[in-house]
Amino acid sequence: MGTVKWLSSPEDFEFLRQNIESLRDPSKPIISVCVSTGCVALGAWRVMEAFKAELEKQDLKDAVKIIETGCVGFCEQGPRVTIYPEEICYFKVKPEDVPEIVSKTICGKKIVKRLLYKDPATGRGVKKLEDIPFYKHQLRLLLENNAKTNPKSIEDYIALGGYSSIIKALFEMTPERVLEEVKKANLRGRGGGGFQAGLKWENTRNSPGEPKYVIANCDEGDPGAFMDRTLMESSPHSVIEGLTIGAYAIGANQGFVYVRDEYPIAVKNICTAIKQAEEYGLLGENIMSSGFSFSVKVHKGAGAFVSGESSALMAAIEGKVGAPRPKYVHTAVRGIWDKPSCLNNVKTWANVPLIILRGADWFSSIGTKGSSGTKIFSLVGNVNNTGLVEVPMGITLRDLIFKIGGGIRGGKKFKAVQTGGPSGGFISEEWLDLPVDFDELSKVGSMMGSGGMVVMDEETCMVDAARYFVDFLLEESCGKCTPCREGLRVLSKVLNDICEGKGNPKDIKTIKDIAETMKYASLCALGRTAVNPVLTSLKYFRDEWTQHINKKRCTAKACKDLINYYIDPEKCKACLLCFRECPIGAVEGGKGQAQWINQEKCVKCGACYEICSLDAVKKLSGEPIPSVIPKTMKPIRKGGK
Ligand SMILES: Cc1cc2nc3c(=O)[nH]c(=O)nc-3n(C[C@H](O)[C@H](O)[C@H](O)COP(=O)(O)O)c2cc1C
Ligand code: FES
C-alpha cells in the first residue's frame, strides 16, 4: 500500500480506507480457507498448502488470491473453503480435491458438486452458505465477516467498515454520549449474568480513583464452549475496537485482554491485531490526534475455570493466584490494583462498534424487549448439526435445536438441553418453545451464561449428567469457601452413590439442603450456581431419580453400575463378532452356539452391544437377567437362511 501507515487524523484514516478499497479487484477470484481451530484440526493447513502448490503449478499465482480466514461456525464440516466472487462454499475439503477445485471452479466456473453441503431434507447440494439450513435461521452480526477476512489483516477489517466506529466515537461523540448510546441499546453482558454493560461502564466511570482499567474476558473454560475463542481467533480487531470505545467512554487509558493460554490461535491473533493497531496509531498515545490515549496488554490465563470470575481474573492480572474474593465492593469500584475496573466478555465488547455505527435504536430493534441484539451459542451434544450459531435473542429453543441444529442425532428423542455452561440448568421438552433470552432462561432454572448449549437425547441419564457437572465444578472450585468446597464434595459423593445403585430416599433432602446453603452462602457465583444442574434435574426428571434410588434402575441405561448386558439366544446367530470383540473374554459359547455373557467377568464396556448388528445383545437395568441355556445353532447356509 505504501502511503499512510501512521494515522494522525480521521482524514488519514479515510485516505487509508479508500486506498485499501482501490487496491481491491472485486472480480479477482479469491480462495478463502478457514484456519481456525476446528478446520486446522481437520487438516486446513494441508489444504492451504495444496492450493498454493496448485496455483503455482497452473501459473495462477498472480491471478487468484488465497486468504486465510476465520471460522464460520459449521466446524464439524471442515475444512471449509469458499470461492469468491461466486461465494461457492465447499466442505470437508481434502488436499486431493484441490486440483479439481482449481481447474473446475476457478478456471471453468463450474461447481464440484460432491464438495457442496447436502441438504438432508432434499439431498441436493447447497452452493451458498446462507442457503444451508444451519445458517438460514441465524442472524450473524459478529460472525458475519469471518469467511471474508483474514483475522491477521487489519486492512481486511478496515475494508469492511472496521475502525469506523472508533472514528465516530472519538470525533463525533463525547464520552457521555457514547455511554448513553450503549445504555440505550440495552447491551447486556454476554459472559455471565447479563448485567447491563452501560450501567457497569457508568459505575466504573463514576467511581473515584485513577487510573481506571477496562478488561476483555476470554477465559472461556466451559466444557464444550468455543464462542469466545472463535471470536478472538476470527475477529480480534472487533474486540480491540469495542474495548477502545469503552475505554473512551469510561475514561480508561489502559486495557487488558485476558485470554486462556490453551487457545494459541486466539492468543496469536489478538497479539498480532494489537501490534497492527499500534502501528497504524489506532492504539497508543493521542489516537489520531483526538487527545485520547489507550493501550492494550494481553494477559495469558493459566486455564482454571474459576479464574474467569471477575475478581479472580483481576487478581491473576495483578500476578496473584486467580481465585475470587468476596465482592462487598464491586470490581467497578475496586478492581485491578484496587482501581475502578470494567470487565466485560469479549462478545460484549465486540457488539459495541456495531451499536456506535448503527445506533442504539437499530440494536434494540433486534431481539426481545429485555435482551437486545444477537447471541452466539456453541451448539453441541446430540444434535445433527453442531457448531457455532449466532441468533437473535428470543428465538425458541425448538428452532435452535431443530431448525438450526437439524434435530436429534440418529433419529432419537430429545430429552433436555443445558444452557449456560456447567452451572446452567437442564431444560426439559415442555420448555422447547421458550424464547431464549436472559430472563426467560432464568425463569426455568437455567441461565444464559456465556453461550454453551448442550443438547441431550433419550439415552442421557439426567442423574448421571448432574453428577458429571458437579464433578467438573468440584475439580474447578478454588476451595476458598466452605459451602462451595464441602457442598460440592458431599453432592458429588451422594450423586455417585445414586448412580452406583447405593442411593437412599433421604438423599434428595440432603441434596436440597446443601443446594440451599450453597446458593446463599458461597463466596462466588461458581458455588452459588453450581446446584442448577442438580436442582433442574430433580425438578424436571424426578422419576429418573426415584428409579435410581428405589429400583436401582437407570431408565436411560447409561449408569454403568446399574446395567447388565445379555445376549438373547433366540436372536443370536453365532456370528462370533461379540465373542471376538470382548476385551476380557466375558462372551462365552463358541462356534455354532448362541453366545452368552459371563456376568462375573463382564466389565460392561458395551463392546458386544456396539458390534452386534442383529439386536441380539440387550442392555438391561433394574430387571432380572434371564438365565441362559446355551443353544446349539442349526448350520447356517450360504445366502443367510
Ligand atoms: C466461575 C466463573 C467463571 C466465569 N468465567 C467467565 C468466562 O470465562 N468468561 C466471561 O466472560 N465471564 C465469565 N464469568 C463471569 C464474570 O465473572 C463476569 O461476570 C463477566 O466476565 C462480565 O462480563 P459481561 O458483563 O460482559 O458478561 C465467570 C464467572 C464465574 C463465577
Ligand atoms: S474452524 Fe473452520 S468453520 Fe469453524
Side-chain angles (χ1 to χ4, degrees), residues 34 36-39 71-75 80:
C34 171
S36 250
T37 299
C39 286
C71 168
V72 295
F74 213 2
C75 316
R80 187 269 313 159

Short mmCIF file of all heavy atoms in Angstrom, two decimals, residues 34 36-39 71-75 80, ligand 2:
data_model
loop_
_atom_site.label_atom_id
_atom_site.label_comp_id
_atom_site.label_asym_id
_atom_site.label_seq_id
_atom_site.Cartn_x
_atom_site.Cartn_y
_atom_site.Cartn_z
N CYS A 34 -10.60 -21.59 5.78
CA CYS A 34 -10.71 -21.36 7.22
C CYS A 34 -9.50 -21.97 7.93
O CYS A 34 -9.21 -23.16 7.75
CB CYS A 34 -11.99 -21.99 7.77
SG CYS A 34 -12.06 -21.96 9.56
N SER A 36 -9.17 -21.57 11.40
CA SER A 36 -9.48 -21.54 12.83
C SER A 36 -9.30 -22.95 13.39
O SER A 36 -9.14 -23.91 12.62
CB SER A 36 -10.92 -21.07 13.02
OG SER A 36 -10.93 -19.79 13.59
N THR A 37 -9.37 -23.05 14.71
CA THR A 37 -9.01 -24.32 15.38
C THR A 37 -9.69 -25.56 14.79
O THR A 37 -9.02 -26.56 14.51
CB THR A 37 -9.33 -24.21 16.88
OG1 THR A 37 -8.55 -23.14 17.40
CG2 THR A 37 -8.99 -25.47 17.63
N GLY A 38 -11.03 -25.50 14.58
CA GLY A 38 -11.76 -26.68 14.11
C GLY A 38 -11.23 -27.17 12.77
O GLY A 38 -10.93 -28.36 12.60
N CYS A 39 -11.12 -26.27 11.81
CA CYS A 39 -10.67 -26.66 10.48
C CYS A 39 -9.19 -27.06 10.49
O CYS A 39 -8.80 -27.98 9.76
CB CYS A 39 -10.93 -25.53 9.48
SG CYS A 39 -12.69 -25.40 9.05
N CYS A 71 -13.49 -18.51 11.39
CA CYS A 71 -14.45 -19.62 11.46
C CYS A 71 -15.86 -19.17 11.10
O CYS A 71 -16.31 -18.11 11.51
CB CYS A 71 -14.41 -20.14 12.89
SG CYS A 71 -15.70 -21.26 13.33
N VAL A 72 -16.56 -20.02 10.33
CA VAL A 72 -17.96 -19.71 10.00
C VAL A 72 -18.93 -20.52 10.86
O VAL A 72 -20.13 -20.45 10.68
CB VAL A 72 -18.27 -19.93 8.50
CG1 VAL A 72 -17.51 -18.96 7.65
CG2 VAL A 72 -18.01 -21.37 8.08
N GLY A 73 -18.41 -21.31 11.75
CA GLY A 73 -19.26 -21.96 12.74
C GLY A 73 -19.59 -23.42 12.51
O GLY A 73 -19.81 -24.14 13.46
N PHE A 74 -19.60 -23.84 11.25
CA PHE A 74 -20.01 -25.22 10.96
C PHE A 74 -18.76 -26.11 10.95
O PHE A 74 -18.49 -26.81 9.97
CB PHE A 74 -20.70 -25.25 9.60
CG PHE A 74 -21.81 -26.27 9.48
CD1 PHE A 74 -22.18 -27.07 10.55
CD2 PHE A 74 -22.50 -26.41 8.28
CE1 PHE A 74 -23.20 -28.00 10.43
CE2 PHE A 74 -23.52 -27.32 8.14
CZ PHE A 74 -23.87 -28.12 9.22
N CYS A 75 -18.02 -26.05 12.04
CA CYS A 75 -16.68 -26.62 12.09
C CYS A 75 -16.66 -28.13 11.84
O CYS A 75 -15.69 -28.66 11.31
CB CYS A 75 -16.01 -26.32 13.42
SG CYS A 75 -16.25 -24.62 13.93
N ARG A 80 -13.31 -25.93 5.66
CA ARG A 80 -14.23 -25.15 4.81
C ARG A 80 -13.43 -24.23 3.88
O ARG A 80 -12.48 -23.58 4.29
CB ARG A 80 -15.13 -24.33 5.72
CG ARG A 80 -16.25 -23.58 5.04
CD ARG A 80 -15.89 -22.17 4.62
NE ARG A 80 -15.22 -21.40 5.64
CZ ARG A 80 -14.48 -20.34 5.36
NH1 ARG A 80 -14.29 -19.94 4.12
NH2 ARG A 80 -13.90 -19.67 6.33
S1 FES B 2 -12.98 -23.81 12.37
FE1 FES B 2 -13.43 -23.70 10.26
S2 FES B 2 -15.55 -23.41 10.24
FE2 FES B 2 -15.08 -23.37 12.36
#
